[in-house]
């Protein structure tokens, strides 16, 4: 179902109810938004201080690879003790996904924008990997009990567990705009370029609007 009508109505209500306050703020303080300030927080003279943050970004694929490796080991193991040990290591990996960026941001005294970007990406990756582990734990339990998977877990491509434990399957999920893991997802026969372009423009607009609100009113 499409909800564009409700979203458009909500936007109209927000604009109408806050338009007077926006005009009064601009009259009193003028335009405070500075694109140079926001660009300066991601480069310039202090760009070398952002190197640890860049390293954290580069570590994100390693966390995904570690999760995939652990899932493959869990799928093959028959030892109860080894299963528990792998789960503990898995929990440590998930903890590191968020803990390491937080520590790096705290130690480097990162500026707000780069630190926020790294933490946001890390939190999204953590939620994705957690969903990945929980969904595969459910599939693994059914696989070991020789139970047939429900239709919702097989979907279109019929990728049965443990054949879904591949790099392509995991990294498609990491890149997909969803936090809920499934072994496969419904796809259109072609890329809807106009729809994709509209979503990208909307994303850029709302990012710019967020930066404007932060600097103008906070």
């Amino acid at each position: 179902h499409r909800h564009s009508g409700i979203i458009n109505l909500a936007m109209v209500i927000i604009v109408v109810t806050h338009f007077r306050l926006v005009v009064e703020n601009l009259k009193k303080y003028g335009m405070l938004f500075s694109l140079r300030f926001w660009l300066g927080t991601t480069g310039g003279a202090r760009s070398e201080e952002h190197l640890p943050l860049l390293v954290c970004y580069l570590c994100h694929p390693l966390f995904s690879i570690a999760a995939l490796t652990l899932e493959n080991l869990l799928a093959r193991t028959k030892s109860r003790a080894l299963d528990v040990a792998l789960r503990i290591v898995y929990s440590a990996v998930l903890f590191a996904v968020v803990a390491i960026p937080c520590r790096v941001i705290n130690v480097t005294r990162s500026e707000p924008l780069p630190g926020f970007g790294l933490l946001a990406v890390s939190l999204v990756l953590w939620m994705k990997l957690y969903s990945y582990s929980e969904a595969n734990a459910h599939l693994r339990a059914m696989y070991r009990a020789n139970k047939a998977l429900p239709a919702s877990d097989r979907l279109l491509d019929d990728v049965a567990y443990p054949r879904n434990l591949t790099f392509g399957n995991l990294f498609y999920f990491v890149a997909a705009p969803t936090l809920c893991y499934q072994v496969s997802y419904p796809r259109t026969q072609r890329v809807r370029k106009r729809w994709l372009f509209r979503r990208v423009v909307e994303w850029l607009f709302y990012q710019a609007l967020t930066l404007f609100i932060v600097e103008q009113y906070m």
Side-chain angles (χ1 to χ4, degrees):
H1 300 287
R2 298 188 62 181
H3 305 285
S4 57
I6 298 177
I7 296 175
N8 292 336
L9 176 61
M11 293 300 297
V12 170
I13 294 175
I14 291 174
V15 171
V16 170
T17 54
H18 293 81
F19 182 75
R20 182 178 61 85
L21 298 176
V22 172
V23 173
E24 291 180 355
N25 180 274
L26 291 175
K27 285 183 177 180
K28 184 175 182 179
Y29 301 105
M31 179 66 73
L32 301 178
F33 179 76
S34 173
L35 185 61
R36 180 180 299 179
F37 167 77
W38 290 104
L39 293 177
T41 62
T42 58
R46 300 185 60 188
S47 59
E48 68 280 356
E49 298 183 10
H50 303 314
L51 182 60
L53 276 65
L54 177 61
V55 173
C56 287
Y57 279 112
L58 297 177
C59 287
H60 285 162
L62 299 180
F63 292 129
S64 301
I65 293 173
L68 178 61
T69 302
L70 290 169
E71 285 293 346
N72 277 288
L73 292 174
L74 285 167
R76 298 172 185 172
T77 184
K78 297 181 179 180
S79 169
R80 176 75 175 178
L82 182 57
D83 187 274
V84 173
L86 290 173
R87 287 174 179 271
I88 293 175
V89 175
Y90 210 146
S91 299
V93 171
L94 293 176
F95 176 76
V97 172
V98 176
I100 291 178
C102 288
R103 180 60 178 170
V104 170
I105 291 172
N106 182 58
V107 171
T108 60
R109 301 296 180 182
S110 169
E111 295 179 2
L113 186 59
F116 171 79
L118 174 61
L119 193 55
V121 173
S122 300
L123 286 172
V124 169
L125 180 63
W126 178 84
M127 288 187 284
K128 282 177 174 284
L129 293 182
Y130 179 77
S131 174
Y132 185 71
S133 67
E134 288 296 310
N136 279 301
H138 165 71
L139 296 173
R140 184 166 56 253
M142 298 191 68
Y143 176 75
R144 290 175 177 175
N146 293 320
K147 293 182 179 180
L149 295 177
S152 60
D153 286 328
R154 284 184 275 111
L155 256 161
L156 299 179
D157 296 333
D158 199 22
V159 182
Y161 184 89
R163 293 199 303 271
N164 65 307
L165 302 178
T166 62
F167 284 103
N169 185 276
L170 173 57
F171 283 103
Y172 178 84
F173 166 61
V174 171
T178 178
L179 296 176
C180 299
Y181 175 74
Q182 296 178 157
V183 294
S184 60
Y185 296 88
R187 299 182 61 180
T188 57
Q189 295 181 350
R190 61 182 179 84
V191 177
R192 296 179 292 171
K193 296 180 181 179
R194 292 180 60 183
W195 182 90
L196 180 61
F197 176 76
R198 182 177 178 182
R199 299 287 86 79
V200 172
V201 171
E202 288 178 350
W203 181 80
L204 292 175
F205 170 76
Y206 287 118
Q207 293 297 315
L209 181 62
T210 300
L211 295 181
F212 171 79
I213 292 175
V214 167
E215 189 163 354
Q216 189 72 26
Y217 298 99
M218 298 181 68

